[in-house]
Structure formats: C-alpha cells, structure tokens
Amino acid sequence: MDENFMTQYGDRLMAGGFPFLPIMPGEKFPGRFMRGEWMAYRGWTKHASRATTVHELTIWKQWPNAGIGIPCGLVVGVDIDISDDIILSEQLQALAFAVLGATPAIRIGRHPKRMLVYRTATPFKGIKAHPLEVLCQGQQFVAYAIHPGTGQSYEWPVQSLADLTLATLPAITEVQAHDFIEQALAMLPEGLRPTRLDPAQPGMPEQTETCAPLQSIRDLVGTPEAIQDALRHIVNADLPYDDWVRVGMAIKGALGEAGAGLFADWSASSVKNVPAATERAWASFHPTVIGAGTIYHLAQKHGWRPDVAITLNPANKHPGPHPAEELLRKAQQVPEQAPKPVPILPGDAEFDPCDVEGVLKELLEFMLATATQPQPVLSVGNALCALGALMGHRFRSETNLRTNLYIVGIAESGSGKNHSREVINQVFHDAGLFGFLGGNRIASGSGLLAAMHRHPPILFQQDEFGMFLQAAADRKRSPRYLTEILDLMTEIHSAAGTVFLGPEYGGIKDAKDRKDIVQPCLCVYGTTTPMLFWSALKSANVADGSLARFVILRTMDDYPERNRINISRDTPTSLIMSLKTLSESGGKGRVKGRGNLEGTTNNGTTALHPSVVPMLPEAAILFDALSETITAQLRRSRGSLYSPILARVWEHAAKVAMIRAVAANPSAPVIRRQDAQWAIALVRYSVNSMIQDVEHHVADNLIEQNHKRVLEIIRAAGRNGVTKTDLGNKSRFLTRRERNEILAELEEEEIVRSGQVLSGGPKPITVYTLTNQMSRR
C-alpha cells in the first residue's frame, strides 16, 4: 500500500510555518527517492534553517510511502524514551509542562514513549542523557510515518502538528532545556539514569567524586556523632541527584557500612526518596577519595559549628588533628559580610509577624502549633487572605477599600510553606465555611469568573504559584484562556467596591450569560520557590502594575527549626466559633445567602452596605507619614520599574490594618495605632525585599538573565568574594566563553572587580567581588 504522508500533511505543515523533510519508509532517518529506490539523504540539515519550498513539496508528494520528519533548530523535540513505565512517562511529561510550558504537540510512536514538541528563538546544541533527550540543532525527529516497531502510524493524541502553527508552540531556551533534563534525571530510578553525563554540555554536572585533597584513606574517617550532627545542616529537600550521591559516598567513606542508617534517614527527609533505590545506591558506593572532610565542609558552609565536645575522628584510628579541623577553625571566624542594602522604604528593620490579636491570633497560633516547620511570615499572609475573604461584603474602609488581598509566600522547597493552606482547608470545613474556598487551581479565566459569580467573596490557595504565573504571564507562548486569568485578576482587584461587568462573548444567545459580579472580593494566596517565581516574570509584569497588586512575603528562614511536639490537629472549638462570628459580623441590608446578587447594578434589591471601619487619629498620623514617604520615593523613582509597586504601598497597608482591626473586634472594629504600625511594617518588609529581588532576578532575555545569575553568585559570597573556580562550578549553565564575556562586561561596567590572592600554591588565585557601590544595593 502506497501511503504518502507528504500528500496528507505536507500542505498543512507548510501553512503552519514548520520546516520538514522526507523520511525513508520503515526507517527513522531522512531519505531521498532517486533512480527508483530510496537512499539516505545526505545534507538534510539545510532544511532546519529555511522554509520548505512549494517545489520541494511537489516532488516529495510523488515519492512512494514518504514519511515526514521535522528538522530541529527552530523546532525542539523533548524525547521521553521510557518504554515500560506509564506513570513515570506521564510524570516526566508533567515536569516538562511545568518547566517548559504545556505543549499540545505530543507525538506517540510506541506507548508510553513520547515526544513533546516546542520551538526556540535561538537554536542550541541538543542534550542527550538517555532515556531523555532534547533534540535541537543538527537533529530531527519523525512526525508522520509508519513506526518500524509497531507497524502503525505515529499518533498525535492531543492535537496534530499539522493542525498547529510553529508560532503557537511554547518557546523554550537552552537554560530551560538543561533545567528540565537535570530535574528529570533526579526523578529516574537509578537503573534508568545515564551512567555518565556529558561534561561538555553547559549546565550539566559531572558525576564524579570531589572533595578537598586528603593525605590518606584514614583521613576520611569520621565519628557517627560528628557525621550525624553535621548532616542536620545539609538539607536534603530537593537536591540534584549528583549532590545526593556525593553526600552518600562521603558518609560511606567516613563511617563505612555503619553509616547506612544515617544515609537512609537523611535520604528519607526528601519527598523524592525511594527506600529501595537508596539501598541499591548505598550498595554501589565504593568511595576512595571522599569522606568525613566533605561532610564537615558542606555542613559548615550551611552554618554548622560543631560543639567542642564532639570528636571529629576516632583517636584510635588516626592520632592527631583531623584534616577538616583547620577548615572548621577558620569557619569559627565570622567572615566580613557585605553591608545590608539600603531599603527603599526606611523604618524599623524588624517586626514581629505574630504580634496580632483576636481571631487572627487564634488562627495563626493554630497554624504554627501544628506545623512541623513553622513559617510565621507565610502563615500570617495566608491567614490575612483567609480572613479577608470572610470579611468580604461586610466591611470597608473610610476610603471604600475592601479586604481583597493577593499574597504570595516565597520559600525554598522543603521549608514547610504549604502547611498553612492545609490548615485553612481544615478549619473552614470544620466551621461550615467551605463555600468560601475556590478550587486548588484556577484553570481558565472563565473558570475564575464562574467561581466568583457563585460566591463573590472567595479565597483561592495555589501551590506552585510560580508555575501558574509562568504560564499566565507568558503572552507569547501560553493560550489565551491562561493569560486572561492574570488580566481578570488585575481588573477584579480594583473592582471590589463596585460591580465587575463580565466580558461579552460572541455567539451567546442569552445576554444574561454575561458574568457580572457585585462587589467581588477575590483573595488569592500562593506559595512558590524563589527561582520559579522570579524566573516567571519580565519587566513588563512589573511596569504594568500586575505584580504591584501582590504582597510578596519572603520567608525569614527557609529551613526553620522543626517542631517536635506532637500537638493534636483538631480545630479548637473557640477558633471555629470565632470564624463563624466573623463571617456573620458587619454589613446591613444584605440579601440572604452567599451567592451572587441578582441584577447588574446596585439598586434597592441588590445594594450592599458594608460596615465602615473608621481610623483613629493616632493611626491616621502614621498613614499620613507613610503617604509622604511614598510620594517622595515616587518622585525620585519617576519612570522606573518600581513606581507601580510604590504606588500600591498605602493601599496594601490600609487593607492589612483593616483586616487586623476587624479580627481583633468584629463587632465594633476601629483601626488603632497598633494596627497601623503592624500593617505598615509588614508591607514595608514586603516592598523592600520585593524591589531588591526584582533588581536581582527579573530579566527580559537570556543574556540579561545570565548576567544577573552570575552577579547573584558573586553577591552571595559577600566581601570575601568567590574564586574563579567556585564561580565556574556554580555557573555550569554557561560555557567558559560565555562566563568570561559576562565577567569582562561586569568589570568594564564597574559592577564587579577581580583581584589576585595568594593560596599557598604555585600560582595566586583570582577572586571576584562586588564594587563598593554595588554591595550596598
């Protein structure tokens, strides 16, 4: 049977802007039909850099059983070559969607193997780490043909590539591709991981044993108490596979088989831990040049200061000082740190997030008491959003502000940032207030409007908010139903005191289908990691004010002390009663029920009359002073990215003060001096850290992003600086040439300076530090 895929799909692929070429029947590589027979197509890579011509397609349509391949370059293929694990294949696909974006172009040859298709503005070298591969420059994949193994056509179960256009595929960068491969490798069982990664590929670590040089095998030995104490400071929340292996080998080098239990316990602290895989890995470790010194070195870098009573190595095995003791002695000397950056909003540097009253205090205390890793700042942010939703339609300020808040809690993986969301779900359910909770995920703009139409005061709690923001803020790659979520949130935020008129959709027969919402009170609390959150944003998101509507709360401690007290998680009866009382307090002239009000305007039947929360003169003085400070800063930063952020400070602080005041006394709330002080301190803390993070992390292109990532490595090193070797190890996402060019530019701009220091070796070493003016930023 002559099945010419060129005839079926060629014209549509050409219309979609895809480059393509012929595939030899029964094979997976390009071919040409010459003199009555098929042969390999040499020089096919030219098709990756230009569009297919009408003349070429006309000829290819005449070739018998011609398949279609896609040359990579502008097109990128992410190959997940997992043959017998459907769940793992789907998990890796979900990871790709989170890191690279959700693509509708998914090709299946032999299920569950799959190819995910993306595009890129700048072609890069492909990444091979079998069973994973990113196909790009100089490579190709089959799009339409008969699979040589199954005898069936390749499938596109979601949307055929021929029905798409190249411009609508999600665009990715080389850095994102390496990030995906690195994270995906960590998900693979040990038996599926590549035995060695290609060290020539930028951004990919080598799987080798590395540590400071020691004199002999006995120098590797440590004591169980010292290793156990040091491991408490090496957090295994989301470590890359190579770092996990390195620590495991160091434990075995230090303690031998006696360290198996310590490695198992340390590995179990990660959600990625698979006990059977941990046992197999331990059995495979045969360290020869790695041991206790590596553990001690890693621990002291994260704050470990061993007690003088702890023996670092057994005296009967190695008399004299342990080689790591000199390292630890130097660590006792606190290095000179870079001066703290000058805050954009001056004031008290410290504030107590737990200094609250009433139901806010009850809720916060319950969150912290039941948390394994208490996070006060993040918990208070979630509590403010939750109570703000309960106060919706019932309270307003003298300037008609409402209690709608958007707050994002930022902390590293494994820091306990998600506990407060679990508590809110529990206490709202126990108090019969579950209707105030939106779904765990906002899937589309229409879904958001539908939920708010059913229940205008509503709280959405979203985990992995950075991934959501990455999709919603990317207008080039993401579909409209995702990007309109952020647009609607921006509009609804400013419509809390009026009627939000829903969008008109073409083709709707009944005009009543328009979703109008009377006085919407949308509260959103999201949690995310710093890298995901800031990498999702561009300067346009800062400048257009969409970021300014969020109160960003960075944790004060990524890895707080664990709460070891076993406290019951049952919701206290007093907290349940307080929440019910709050949800029924304030307001007058309300209709019965919690659904949206009939009608599209505030008339006699739909008008709401929230209770006004007055501000006492002592509080007004503080807000007047805040207003003067903001005005002065706005004048100094006119036209900068920070103007929209500063412009929202007064509003955010006034809302937080009102929620705190109502929580303290729902029956007769007033904004007092203590409410104003605490609210202003919270928002000042948010704004100062947010502006600093915008400056340090937000980038509009890959070049700017790489500059900022290198600059952050140098900034984190403080005044002691970072050696060129360490800088290279920490910036493996760059080639040596790229790194040197960035450093040269930073030095030329007098942002970074380099110097030579003696190391005791034959040659001095190069150290990079920030210049004086940059270290204060």
Side-chain angles (χ1 to χ4, degrees):
M1 177 181 177
D2 184 355
E3 186 170 7
N4 192 309
F5 293 90
M6 285 290 178
T7 303
Q8 298 180 50
Y9 302 104
D11 292 297
R12 289 153 61 189
L13 287 170
M14 182 178 291
F18 289 100
F20 56 96
L21 44 71
I23 295 293
M24 185 183 296
E27 303 292 348
K28 295 184 178 181
F29 51 83
R32 303 182 69 184
F33 190 73
M34 305 290 292
R35 295 183 291 277
E37 63 179 1
W38 281 94
M39 61 185 64
Y41 188 175
R42 302 188 185 281
W44 63 263
T45 54
K46 64 185 179 183
H47 293 286
S49 57
R50 63 169 177 82
T52 300
T53 66
V54 175
H55 176 69
E56 287 173 331
L57 179 57
T58 301
I59 294 175
W60 294 344
K61 285 181 178 180
Q62 302 174 37
W63 292 356
N65 298 311
I68 297 179
I70 303 295
C72 298
L74 296 177
V75 179
V76 180
V78 176
D79 190 16
I80 301 175
D81 195 18
I82 305 296
S83 60
D84 56 0
D85 193 330
I86 297 176
I87 295 177
L88 180 58
S89 292
E90 292 177 347
Q91 289 174 337
L92 291 169
Q93 176 179 307
L95 175 65
F97 281 12
V99 176
L100 307 175
T103 177
I106 304 172
R107 189 216 68 185
I108 302 292
R110 186 195 295 271
H111 193 269
K113 298 181 180 182
R114 62 200 65 202
M115 175 82 70
L116 313 180
V117 185
Y118 295 86
R119 63 183 173 91
T120 184
T122 305
F124 52 87
K125 182 181 178 182
I127 309 167
K128 186 174 182 63
H130 186 77
L132 305 171
E133 187 172 9
V134 177
L135 303 173
C136 199
Q137 208 165 42
Q139 298 171 287
Q140 58 85 33
F141 62 86
V142 180
Y144 298 95
I146 299 298
H147 191 283
T150 66
Q152 303 296 319
S153 297
Y154 285 86
E155 299 176 358
W156 297 85
V158 178
Q159 199 165 357
S160 177
L161 195 67
D163 295 330
L164 298 166
T165 64
L166 179 61
T168 59
L169 293 180
I172 69 172
T173 65
E174 183 178 9
V175 171
Q176 287 177 296
H178 280 294
D179 287 345
F180 164 72
I181 289 293
E182 183 174 352
Q183 295 182 50
L185 288 175
M187 294 176 61
L188 296 179
E190 184 185 0
L192 290 181
R193 293 192 178 110
T195 56
R196 189 173 186 269
L197 300 177
D198 182 2
Q201 296 173 2
M204 299 301 288
E206 255 188 292
Q207 186 175 320
T208 58
E209 295 183 45
T210 58
C211 69
L214 298 176
Q215 299 302 315
S216 67
I217 188 64
R218 60 183 181 178
D219 294 330
L220 308 178
V221 178
T223 61
E225 60 269 27
I227 298 298
Q228 183 175 18
D229 191 59
L231 284 174
R232 293 188 302 107
H233 291 261
I234 305 175
V235 178
N236 181 30
D238 197 19
L239 282 182
Y241 175 72
D242 296 271
D243 291 344
W244 176 75
V245 168
R246 183 185 182 196
V247 172
M249 294 185 74
I251 294 173
K252 196 165 190 178
L255 302 176
E257 289 300 331
L262 285 179
F263 180 58
D265 292 343
W266 179 79
S267 294
S269 64
S270 170
V271 295
K272 298 189 299 186
N273 181 62
V274 178
T278 301
E279 290 181 9
R280 290 195 300 270
W282 178 263
S284 71
F285 294 158
H286 300 289
T288 56
V289 294
I290 191 170
T294 297
I295 298 295
Y296 298 156
H297 175 73
L298 293 173
Q300 66 89 14
K301 285 179 64 177
H302 292 84
W304 183 51
R305 298 294 181 267
D307 190 279
V308 293
I310 293 181
T311 302
L312 296 178
N313 69 297
N316 62 335
K317 292 187 178 180
H318 179 53
H322 192 284
E325 289 185 11
E326 177 63 16
L327 174 71
L328 294 167
R329 184 191 65 78
K330 293 179 180 178
Q332 303 292 339
Q333 303 170 3
V334 179
E336 184 180 9
Q337 298 295 320
K340 292 183 179 180
V342 178
I344 193 79
L345 288 179
D348 295 336
E350 302 293 338
F351 82 103
D352 183 2
C354 300
D355 182 21
V356 291
E357 302 175 59
V359 64
L360 180 55
K361 181 177 182 179
E362 290 183 75
L363 181 56
L364 181 60
E365 287 180 345
F366 184 57
M367 287 177 174
L368 299 180
T370 56
T372 304
Q373 295 170 284
Q375 288 284 0
V377 173
L378 307 190
S379 295
V380 80
N382 201 357
L384 287 169
C385 287
L387 299 186
L390 295 184
M391 296 175 190
H393 285 184
R394 293 191 172 274
F395 298 95
R396 70 175 180 85
S397 72
E398 294 172 313
T399 57
N400 202 33
L401 290 176
R402 304 308 173 95
T403 57
N404 57 315
L405 283 175
Y406 301 164
I407 295 180
V408 179
I410 298 182
E412 295 290 354
S413 297
S415 59
K417 60 181 179 293
N418 296 323
H419 175 70
S420 63
R421 294 188 301 106
E422 300 170 4
V423 171
I424 293 297
N425 288 340
Q426 175 183 329
V427 299
F428 271 41
H429 181 272
D430 292 346
L433 303 171
F434 211 62
F436 281 91
L437 293 178
N440 289 337
R441 185 169 64 92
I442 305 175
S444 66
S446 59
L448 172 63
L449 291 180
M452 294 198 67
H453 191 262
R454 292 193 302 268
H455 204 288
I458 193 167
L459 168 67
F460 282 94
Q461 302 179 101
Q462 290 215 195
D463 187 17
E464 303 301 346
F465 191 80
M467 293 184 183
F468 158 75
L469 192 61
Q470 197 168 47
D474 193 340
R475 300 181 183 279
K476 292 183 179 180
R477 298 189 304 172
S478 297
R480 177 59 186 160
Y481 67 83
L482 284 180
T483 60
E484 71 176 353
I485 298 174
L486 200 57
D487 294 339
L488 288 171
M489 288 176 63
T490 301
E491 295 176 38
I492 290 171
H493 188 274
S494 301
T498 181
V499 177
F500 174 78
L501 302 180
E504 299 280 5
Y505 296 101
I508 296 180
K509 297 179 181 180
D510 189 349
K512 291 183 180 180
D513 284 345
R514 190 180 74 185
K515 301 295 186 184
D516 295 341
I517 305 169
V518 178
Q519 298 189 17
C521 184
L522 173 62
C523 292
V524 177
Y525 178 74
T527 54
T528 184
T529 61
M531 184 183 72
L532 274 178
F533 183 76
W534 295 113
S535 64
L537 295 171
K538 306 298 180 189
S539 59
N541 304 123
V542 183
D544 66 10
S546 54
L547 178 65
R549 287 169 170 80
F550 288 86
V551 176
I552 311 299
L553 295 178
R554 185 202 295 170
T555 178
M556 292 178 170
D557 187 355
D558 277 309
Y559 302 108
E561 290 294 328
R562 300 177 72 86
N563 184 0
R564 305 181 188 281
I565 301 176
N566 184 18
I567 298 178
S568 171
R569 293 179 57 92
D570 292 340
T571 306
T573 302
S574 60
L575 176 56
I576 293 175
M577 297 306 298
S578 296
L579 291 172
K580 287 183 176 180
T581 300
L582 179 63
S583 68
E584 297 169 358
S585 300
K588 57 182 178 179
R590 292 176 52 82
V591 296
K592 185 177 181 181
R594 284 292 184 181
N596 194 38
L597 306 175
E598 293 298 327
T600 59
T601 60
N602 284 331
N603 56 39
T605 60
T606 65
L608 293 171
H609 301 284
S611 297
V612 177
V613 182
M615 183 179 293
L616 296 180
E618 60 191 28
I621 292 173
L622 295 178
F623 273 100
D624 288 343
L626 176 64
S627 180
E628 292 178 4
T629 301
I630 293 170
T631 301
Q633 290 288 4
L634 283 170
R635 288 170 178 165
R636 281 195 289 269
S637 60
R638 189 190 306 272
S640 74
L641 286 178
Y642 311 128
S643 297
I645 297 174
L646 292 169
R648 292 278 176 179
V649 168
W650 195 97
E651 175 187 333
H652 288 325
K655 287 183 177 182
V656 171
M658 177 166 55
I659 294 173
R660 188 182 190 277
V662 174
N665 185 6
S667 60
V670 292
I671 299 176
R672 304 155 297 169
R673 180 179 180 83
Q674 57 264 45
D675 300 318
Q677 282 181 321
W678 186 85
I680 292 172
L682 176 70
V683 175
R684 180 189 293 118
Y685 171 81
S686 167
V687 169
N688 285 337
S689 60
M690 176 165 44
I691 289 178
Q692 184 184 31
D693 285 333
V694 166
E695 181 178 351
H696 292 177
H697 301 290
V698 174
D700 287 339
N701 52 61
L702 180 60
I703 294 175
E704 184 183 5
Q705 184 183 73
N706 286 338
H707 272 69
K708 290 194 171 185
R709 291 177 73 177
V710 170
L711 195 56
E712 275 305 290
I713 295 170
I714 300 173
R715 179 181 283 111
R719 285 183 176 172
N720 287 337
V722 59
T723 66
K724 191 170 186 177
T725 300
D726 285 345
L727 180 60
N729 290 333
K730 294 177 180 179
S731 58
R732 290 182 177 178
F733 51 89
L734 299 170
T735 64
R736 179 180 297 179
R737 178 179 176 181
E738 290 171 335
R739 186 182 306 111
N740 289 338
E741 288 177 351
I742 290 174
L743 290 170
E745 290 179 21
L746 292 175
E747 287 196 79
E748 183 178 344
E749 296 168 6
E750 297 185 351
I751 295 173
V752 166
R753 59 171 172 252
S754 62
Q756 302 287 317
V757 298
L758 297 176
S759 62
K763 296 182 179 180
I765 60 175
T766 302
V767 175
Y768 291 94
T769 57
L770 296 184
T771 57
N772 290 335
Q773 62 267 31
M774 286 300 298
S775 64
R776 292 190 291 270
R777 295 176 64 178

Coordinates of all heavy atoms in Angstrom, one line a residue, residues 87 243 291 413 517 563 577 685:
I87 N 3.4 5.5 34.3 CA 3.3 6.6 35.3 C 4.5 7.5 35.3 O 4.3 8.7 35.3 CB 3.1 5.9 36.7 CG1 1.8 5.2 36.8 CG2 3.2 7.0 37.8 CD1 1.5 4.5 38.1
D243 N 24.4 15.6 43.8 CA 24.7 16.0 45.2 C 24.3 15.0 46.2 O 25.0 14.8 47.2 CB 24.0 17.4 45.5 CG 24.6 18.5 44.7 OD1 25.7 18.4 44.1 OD2 23.9 19.5 44.6
G291 N 35.1 11.5 52.0 CA 34.7 11.0 53.4 C 34.3 12.1 54.3 O 33.6 13.1 53.9
S413 N 12.1 24.8 48.5 CA 11.4 23.6 48.6 C 11.7 22.9 50.0 O 12.9 23.0 50.5 CB 11.8 22.6 47.5 OG 11.4 23.1 46.3
I517 N -20.4 40.6 38.5 CA -20.2 40.2 39.9 C -20.3 41.5 40.7 O -19.6 42.4 40.5 CB -18.8 39.5 40.1 CG1 -18.7 38.3 39.2 CG2 -18.6 39.1 41.5 CD1 -17.3 37.8 39.1
N563 N 9.5 21.5 64.6 CA 8.6 21.4 65.8 C 8.4 19.9 66.1 O 7.8 19.2 65.4 CB 7.3 22.1 65.6 CG 6.4 22.1 66.8 OD1 6.7 21.6 67.8 ND2 5.2 22.7 66.6
M577 N -15.8 28.9 66.5 CA -16.8 29.9 66.8 C -16.4 31.3 66.4 O -17.2 32.1 65.9 CB -17.1 29.9 68.4 CG -17.6 28.6 68.9 SD -19.1 28.1 68.0 CE -20.2 29.5 68.4
Y685 N 8.3 45.5 54.9 CA 9.1 44.3 54.7 C 8.9 43.7 53.3 O 9.9 43.3 52.7 CB 8.7 43.3 55.8 CG 9.3 41.9 55.7 CD1 10.6 41.7 56.1 CD2 8.6 40.8 55.1 CE1 11.2 40.4 56.0 CE2 9.2 39.6 55.0 CZ 10.5 39.4 55.4 OH 11.0 38.1 55.3

